[in-house]
Amino acid sequence: AQKVTQAQTEISVVEKEDVTLDCVYETRDTTYYLFWYKQPPSGELVFLIRRNSFDEQNEISGRYSWNFQKSTSSFNFTITASQVVDSAVYFCALNSGAQKLVFGQGTRLTINP
Amino acid sequence: ETGVTQTPRHLVMGMTNKKSLKCEQHLGHNAMYWYKQSAKKPLELMFVYSLEERVENNSVPSRFSPECPNSSHLFLHLHTLQPEDSALYLCASSQDLPSRGVYGYTFGSGTRLTVV
């Protein structure tokens, strides 16, 4: 069975702090894909990144970085020098060939000025 | 503009009303989805359509009735809803089903439904 766990329900930090959102997944498949989505107050989920199970290289995109570790089944997301506009709910998701993406419960991130 | 448009953005309906939610995409995607997002709950997949054919129905009550007349449009017909059905209903599309390849989903902004 596929499962995604985001243990942090809510995180609140002060602007310019670094913050890491945790994601732990479970799957028996050797080929799978992991995603992160951002849901701002407007409601739509915005695609941030997709990684496949064969590529464990960490990725950096501006202030965003992702740390994929198969040994611990984790795909954590770090925002460096956070900004108020980063406030949103962030979802981690997993797909391993099923008909659907499996989403975690989401982490509500609040960046205070 | 996300590429997936949902209307209305907000809807308040009584328990005896009948209403419909609409989702439209012109991205050329073949798969479309309805998700329900309740407060403090994970996203719940409700229905999956591929080329107008329903391929998954996750034990959703019959008071929710989906319709996919073509690959660009998806509806969710609502009737005799309960207050606990109040939620954000999100539509998404993808190039194809996840089982046929890995594609990111494009989501709409959702319809905020309140049942009174």
Side-chain angles (χ1 to χ4, degrees), chain A residues 10 32-33 35 37 39 41-47 50 89 91 95 97-105, chain B residues 2 9 33 35 37 41-43 45 48 55-56 58 88 90 97-99 101-105 107-109:
Chain A
E10 296 187 31
Y32 52 89
Y33 295 80
F35 300 78
Y37 284 85
Q39 186 179 36
S42 53
E44 80 277 13
L45 273 75
V46 178
F47 168 81
R50 181 188 77 195
V89 181
F91 291 92
N95 171 258
Q99 300 285 46
K100 60 188 180 185
L101 286 183
V102 175
F103 286 86
Q105 302 92 318
Chain B
T2 66
R9 290 297 306 273
Y33 313 80
Y35 276 87
Q37 186 178 26
K41 283 188 177 180
L43 283 161
L45 178 66
V48 179
V55 296
E56 185 155 339
N58 281 357
L88 179 68
L90 289 161
L97 291 173
S99 57
V102 179
Y103 307 99
Y105 286 13
F107 282 84
S109 298

Side-chain angles (χ1 to χ4, degrees), chain A residues 33-102:
Chain A
Y33 295 80
L34 296 160
F35 300 78
W36 274 96
Y37 284 85
K38 173 183 180 180
Q39 186 179 36
S42 53
E44 80 277 13
L45 273 75
V46 178
F47 168 81
L48 295 178
I49 189 172
R50 181 188 77 195
R51 300 307 301 273
N52 72 58
S53 53
F54 299 108
D55 182 3
E56 285 194 75
Q57 270 195 332
N58 290 333
E59 181 154 340
I60 299 175
S61 176
R63 296 183 297 106
Y64 294 174
S65 63
W66 290 269
N67 182 0
F68 176 30
Q69 296 207 354
K70 288 178 75 171
S71 60
T72 56
S73 297
S74 65
F75 186 42
N76 297 337
F77 173 31
T78 297
I79 301 175
T80 303
S82 60
Q83 300 176 1
V84 173
V85 294
D86 296 326
S87 297
V89 181
Y90 290 86
F91 291 92
C92 181
L94 165 71
N95 171 258
S96 58
Q99 300 285 46
K100 60 188 180 185
L101 286 183
V102 175

Side-chain angles (χ1 to χ4, degrees), chain B residues 4-23:
Chain B
V4 176
T5 303
Q6 288 187 245
T7 54
R9 290 297 306 273
H10 300 273
L11 177 63
V12 179
M13 60 186 289
M15 289 190 282
T16 57
N17 292 158
K18 288 185 180 180
K19 297 286 184 184
S20 296
L21 310 185
K22 180 181 176 182
C23 176

Side-chain angles (χ1 to χ4, degrees), chain B residues 15-77:
Chain B
M15 289 190 282
T16 57
N17 292 158
K18 288 185 180 180
K19 297 286 184 184
S20 296
L21 310 185
K22 180 181 176 182
C23 176
E24 186 173 354
Q25 59 91 7
H26 294 289
L27 301 169
H29 288 174
N30 293 326
M32 296 186 77
Y33 313 80
W34 278 117
Y35 276 87
K36 176 183 178 182
Q37 186 178 26
S38 305
K40 301 187 178 181
K41 283 188 177 180
L43 283 161
E44 299 173 57
L45 178 66
M46 300 176 73
F47 301 104
V48 179
Y49 275 84
S50 173
L51 295 171
E52 302 122 60
E53 180 181 341
R54 190 191 307 181
V55 296
E56 185 155 339
N57 174 359
N58 281 357
S59 302
V60 179
S62 59
R63 57 186 183 269
F64 295 92
S65 174
E67 178 190 2
C68 189
N70 55 63
S71 59
S72 298
H73 293 85
L74 185 64
F75 294 89
L76 188 62
H77 303 300

